[in-house]
Amino acid sequence: MSHPTVPATEFTPSGQLQLGVFFQGVNSGTIWKTEASGSQTDFESFRRVAQTAERGLFAAFFLGEGLRLREHLGRPHALDVAGRPDAQTALAALAAITTHIGLVATQNTTYNDPADLAHRLSSLDLLSAGRAAWNIVTTDNAWTGANFRRGGYLDHADRYTHAEAFVETAKRIWDSHGDGTVRRVRHDGKHYSVDVTPRLPRSAQYRPVLFQAGDSPEGRDFAARQADVIFSAHPQLDDALAFRKDIVERTVRAGRGANDVKIMPASEFILAATPREAIEKKEWVRDLQIGPQQAIAYLEQFWGRELSGYDPDGPLPDIDPVVEETSETRGSGFHGAKARQLADQWGAEARDKGLSIRQFVSAKTSRGDSSFTGSYSEVADRLAEYARTGAVDGFNISPWLIPSGLDDIVNHLVPALQDRGVYPTDYAGSTLRENLGLGTPTRSPEPAASEATAGAGR
């Protein structure tokens, strides 16, 4: 008879790093207006990025989610109107032309139903032979919810309570097959009720891997209890070490092992053969990321009025915003900002530093904290220190160019990391769980006898 093992309470660095790629869609970090830019909706872009990543032994291909088009001055935002294809549809297509890379779908607990989403993720997991993952998000605003006839039905304070019940229900559904039986799953909660006999068996990796990106205290606790991987916002070494310490403490308090939750911060890589070339390349990238239109539109989101009469290379507007606080319609980056206060603060900052609108916006939207810029060997040396200290388990890369933005990384950085012994030289296995170094999940507890259904034929 086997006995449960006691979770390890001391964290042990693996000395290895993994890489993932985050295909975001239109955003201020991706260059969409050069001859080398591809489309964010054509399958060729998804194919090229995913297959390049797999050639570089990346652990995962990660798709973002946009449940409603951002609006700009009350109209759909012309600079990102194209939107994004459904994540699970795109990933199912990629499953057919890849063999090892994990397929991560961002899916919302607020606007899905647990039995349906669990079934769709199980389908992707089976079709990909154990490579599916779910990035759990908890958006709750009424503006997004209006697309689902659920505007404002979930209080912001309840989002993680709701999400936890949702995830636990999905886990019970995935765990329902075992020892020749199928377990009936019931849940009767505040926002939904479930009574389902799951239709699909376990996948090769048991169930989909769970990613989560919340950074509030509630989000960190939720991840410590539920996630396999945290998609973090802490890529700089000192900050990453502090974040690791905090997550390990929360994970152990949750009754899990200190190494049970992997951490992969969002990052941008700008690389070249020499340090000087990398700096010049970064200047070129920044200049294209924020063009004149993007700079003016960025300020319009806070001022709440058209600013097209202002010179992008001139000073910031000297007029008051027409809004007090920004709203969800403008996107998460603008939500809740106190516009009048910001306008005064930004105006003073731009004057003090002698910055034009375009220079100021470029500085504000820069991924400086998440950017790794340098020669291939320089950056490889920096990353080796992350592996040595265990600050992170890898990096989730947001390419600044689609579809060729991973080429430098795969062709030059990956071999440099392999030479330093901190990056895989082959995939560890055929499933995402194996390739991330995750153990097989513990089966969720049996429900009360009244809720159980034995027998595969039920």
Side-chain angles (χ1 to χ4, degrees):
M1 178 179 178
S2 62
H3 297 277
T5 58
V6 177
T9 58
E10 296 296 326
F11 174 75
T12 305
S14 69
Q16 292 285 297
L17 296 175
Q18 299 281 356
L19 294 178
V21 57
F22 183 26
F23 192 113
Q24 294 188 77
V26 168
N27 65 93
S28 62
T30 307
I31 297 169
W32 292 105
K33 293 191 175 182
T34 69
E35 291 184 1
S37 298
S39 164
Q40 69 158 1
T41 56
D42 287 352
F43 183 68
E44 174 60 16
S45 295
F46 294 88
R47 181 203 66 77
R48 169 79 182 275
V49 172
Q51 291 186 334
T52 300
E54 188 165 71
R55 179 166 61 84
L57 304 176
F58 278 43
F61 177 91
F62 190 114
L63 281 180
E65 178 185 61
L67 294 179
R68 184 164 179 173
L69 291 175
R70 276 203 300 140
E71 291 182 1
H72 183 73
L73 304 181
R75 303 182 297 273
H77 199 326
L79 296 179
D80 64 1
V81 70
R84 298 164 173 155
D86 173 69
Q88 286 182 248
T89 303
L91 294 174
L94 292 173
I97 59 168
T98 57
T99 56
H100 287 83
I101 194 166
L103 305 167
V104 189
T106 300
Q107 297 287 289
N108 201 294
T109 56
T110 309
Y111 306 119
N112 278 292
D113 293 300
D116 176 62
L117 182 58
H119 180 74
R120 288 188 283 115
L121 287 167
S122 286
S123 298
L124 179 61
D125 211 18
L126 285 169
L127 293 172
S128 64
R131 294 187 284 135
W134 171 19
N135 177 41
I136 305 162
V137 290
T138 60
T139 304
D140 56 53
N141 65 73
W143 177 72
T144 301
N147 275 5
F148 302 90
R149 298 187 298 170
R150 299 181 190 176
Y153 93 106
L154 180 65
D155 289 338
H156 185 72
D158 291 340
R159 70 195 189 284
Y160 281 119
T161 303
H162 175 275
E164 192 125 30
F166 191 113
V167 173
E168 286 289 352
T169 301
K171 284 182 174 180
R172 288 175 56 203
I173 291 170
W174 293 327
D175 291 350
S176 63
H177 285 257
D179 303 322
T181 65
V182 178
R183 202 165 72 191
R184 184 176 178 180
V185 175
R186 291 175 177 170
H187 172 84
D188 188 13
K190 179 178 178 181
H191 298 292
Y192 57 84
S193 296
V194 170
D195 185 352
V196 59
T197 301
R199 293 167 280 166
L200 293 174
R202 295 176 188 166
S203 75
Q205 67 171 355
Y206 190 95
R207 66 185 183 215
V209 172
L210 301 182
F211 283 68
Q212 204 270 340
D215 199 27
S216 65
E218 296 85 358
R220 294 186 186 197
D221 280 338
F222 176 78
R225 291 190 298 268
Q226 300 292 348
D228 300 304
V229 185
I230 295 178
F231 178 27
S232 87
H234 303 277
Q236 294 304 306
L237 185 58
D238 289 346
D239 195 20
L241 285 166
F243 184 75
R244 166 70 81 184
K245 181 176 183 294
D246 181 68
I247 292 300
V248 167
E249 290 172 353
R250 292 172 191 267
T251 303
V252 171
R253 283 201 302 269
R256 302 175 68 190
N259 284 69
D260 281 4
V261 179
K262 308 297 182 182
I263 299 174
M264 296 181 71
S267 305
E268 175 193 59
F269 287 77
I270 302 176
L271 308 172
T274 68
R276 181 178 180 82
E277 288 176 306
I279 292 171
E280 292 173 350
K281 188 173 185 179
K282 182 177 182 177
E283 292 174 354
W284 175 80
V285 169
R286 293 289 183 258
D287 190 54
L288 288 174
Q289 284 174 327
I290 300 295
Q293 284 180 293
Q294 288 90 347
I296 294 295
Y298 183 85
L299 292 190
E300 287 176 338
Q301 299 281 52
F302 292 99
W303 262 256
R305 63 167 76 193
E306 289 193 13
L307 301 173
S308 57
Y310 284 81
D311 180 1
D313 295 314
L316 267 66
D318 56 358
I319 57 176
D320 287 337
V322 298
V323 294
E324 178 58 34
E325 291 196 2
T326 57
S327 70
E328 294 90 349
T329 66
R330 303 170 184 215
S332 60
F334 307 96
H335 178 210
K338 294 181 178 179
R340 292 180 188 277
Q341 180 180 328
L342 274 179
D344 291 341
Q345 177 187 325
W346 286 359
E349 182 180 343
R351 286 191 299 272
D352 290 346
K353 296 180 178 178
L355 299 178
S356 68
I357 289 175
R358 189 171 176 185
Q359 290 169 329
F360 182 83
V361 173
S362 181
K364 282 297 174 189
T365 58
S366 171
R367 296 178 180 178
D369 288 344
S370 64
S371 180
F372 291 85
T373 300
S375 68
Y376 308 121
S377 59
E378 272 185 326
V379 173
D381 286 340
R382 285 181 64 190
L383 299 188
E385 182 68 4
Y386 283 78
R388 185 189 68 79
T389 60
V392 302
D393 296 285
F395 296 89
N396 210 18
I397 299 170
S398 298
W400 46 266
L401 188 64
I402 296 293
S404 61
L406 295 182
D407 291 359
D408 276 354
I409 296 166
V410 170
N411 294 338
H412 301 288
L413 180 62
V414 164
L417 292 172
Q418 290 170 329
D419 289 344
R420 288 158 177 78
V422 298
Y423 192 81
T425 56
D426 201 355
Y427 281 106
S430 61
T431 71
L432 176 58
R433 197 171 291 279
E434 289 174 297
N435 292 325
L436 287 172
L438 296 167
T440 301
T442 302
R443 192 179 187 189
S444 58
E446 292 286 336
S450 62
E451 297 180 7
T453 299
R458 293 293 300 270

